[in-house]
Amino acid sequence: MAIGREDVEILKPRIDKREYRRIVLRNSLQVLLISDLDTDKCAASMNVGVGSFCDPDGLEGLAHFFGSTNAFTASEMTNYFFDVNTGCFEEALDRFAQFFIKPLMSADATMREIKAVDFENQKNQHYSLSMNSQRNKSLTNMIDSSKW
């Protein structure tokens, strides 16, 4: 599965007893493997270099549309993740991979996600208005106090 293992130094705190290894897959995906014998969970995460700054005009929320449950969207990237009990990891990892290989875009799921994105956008607009108002108030106070 892996075509190469690039020797890179992975820096970690001295108290970190986990083992780390970096590999590169045939499709050029870079993978960081972390082994922790003291846990009963397995997890995976995939980071994609596309975030909300990449949304086309008129399709705000598109990046979030493809990353909301067990994921988060930032301005320049989206991260997908999951964790399961150790005995279920291989099956869960295959399901996780299928999301990227052949996502199921059923009409019901698409409509639910559109509503969720719209709801979050409406909530964020209110937050943005409050933040803008607070910023403007602060700037006004700074300008007024600088006159005297």
Side-chain angles (χ1 to χ4, degrees):
M1 180 175 237
I3 62 163
R5 179 176 173 224
E6 294 186 25
D7 291 326
V8 294
E9 183 180 5
I10 298 172
L11 301 176
K12 64 178 188 172
R14 282 188 285 270
I15 62 171
D16 186 352
K17 303 301 181 204
R18 294 173 286 197
E19 294 181 32
Y20 295 81
R21 190 172 120 207
R22 181 178 181 267
I23 62 173
V24 179
L25 302 179
R26 272 184 252 133
N27 61 3
S28 299
L29 284 177
Q30 300 175 39
V31 178
L32 175 63
L33 302 170
I34 305 170
S35 177
D36 184 347
L37 299 177
D38 293 331
T39 185
D40 61 348
K41 293 280 190 177
C42 288
S45 172
M46 184 163 122
N47 202 60
V48 180
V50 175
S52 58
F53 283 178
C54 299
D55 288 344
D57 290 339
L59 291 174
E60 290 76 13
L62 184 64
H64 181 84
F65 178 78
F66 291 105
S68 61
T69 302
N70 292 342
F72 63 88
T73 303
S75 56
E76 296 179 352
M77 61 94 177
T78 302
N79 184 276
Y80 304 88
F81 57 90
F82 76 92
D83 68 72
V84 295
N85 293 329
T86 54
C88 307
F89 185 67
E90 286 188 37
E91 182 181 338
L93 186 59
D94 182 56
R95 252 184 269 129
F96 184 68
Q98 293 305 314
F99 174 78
F100 303 100
I101 295 167
K102 189 176 179 183
L104 300 175
M105 302 294 287
S106 69
D108 288 348
T110 300
M111 190 51 66
R112 276 194 311 272
E113 189 60 23
I114 289 171
K115 288 179 182 179
V117 169
D118 187 53
F119 175 78
E120 187 164 334
N121 184 48
Q122 294 297 323
K123 178 185 69 160
N124 289 343
Q125 283 181 347
H126 174 71
Y127 179 72
S128 292
L129 290 172
S130 298
M131 292 295 291
N132 286 338
S133 176
Q134 184 62 40
R135 184 192 69 230
N136 291 340
K137 181 180 175 185
S138 296
L139 289 172
T140 302
N141 289 340
M142 286 175 19
I143 292 169
D144 287 343
S145 65
S146 69
K147 287 182 181 178
W148 311 108

